[in-house]
């Protein structure tokens, strides 16, 4: 999905809101700073659909995304990447590059970017 940059958290890390789907979703960094999370509530670290290892303050750099499985655990999604639409390190918008469908069934309702 397409995400717009909304601002920066207290640690100066950008966060994003999904704008391309009917479902509300946010992409943000955990309080510990180690993971990007995609979930329905900004800042909620207990309810999320995707996680990605944080390398820098940009979700476009070096993130290994994983989808959360219904029964618990995570499924790596090596084909999912974030891609800036304007080339900035902190993109105003960011969207998932065209990739194969996730390797789980059923597919999650939203993709991280």
């Amino acid at each position: 999905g397409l995400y717009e940059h909304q601002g920066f958290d207290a640690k100066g890390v950008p966060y994003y809101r999904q704008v391309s789907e009917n479902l509300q979703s946010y992409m943000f960094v955990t309080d510990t700073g180690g993971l990007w999370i995609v979930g329905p509530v900004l800042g909620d670290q207990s309810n999320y659909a995707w996680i990605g290892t944080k390398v820098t303050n940009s979700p476009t750099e070096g993130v290994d995304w994983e989808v959360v499985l219904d029964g618990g655990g995570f499924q790596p999604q090596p084909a999912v990447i974030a891609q800036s639409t304007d080339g900035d390190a902190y993109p105003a918008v960011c969207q998932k590059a065209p990739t194969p469908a996730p390797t789980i069934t059923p597919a999650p309702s939203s993709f991280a970017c």
Side-chain angles (χ1 to χ4, degrees):
L2 185 65
Y3 287 74
E4 283 187 342
H5 178 236
Q6 297 295 296
F8 296 90
D9 67 15
K11 296 178 183 177
V13 179
Y15 61 92
Y16 303 84
R17 181 178 58 86
Q18 188 173 27
V19 296
S20 60
E21 304 290 332
N22 291 331
L23 300 173
Q24 179 170 292
S25 186
Y26 294 90
M27 179 170 41
F28 58 94
V29 173
T30 58
D31 290 341
T32 60
L35 295 172
W36 283 97
I37 287 182
V38 175
V41 178
L42 180 61
D44 184 351
Q45 297 177 47
S46 64
N47 180 21
Y48 51 89
W50 290 82
I51 63 168
T53 305
K54 178 183 174 280
V55 176
T56 71
N57 282 351
S58 173
T60 64
E61 297 177 5
V63 177
D64 294 324
W65 291 105
E66 297 181 14
V67 68
V68 179
L69 301 173
D70 288 338
F74 305 93
Q75 175 68 45
Q77 298 295 311
V80 174
I81 62 169
Q83 183 177 29
S84 172
T85 60
D86 61 10
D88 290 341
Y90 305 105
V93 294
C94 146
Q95 67 181 20
K96 178 185 72 70
T99 60
T103 56
I104 64 164
T105 303
S109 60
S110 63
F111 278 92
C113 87

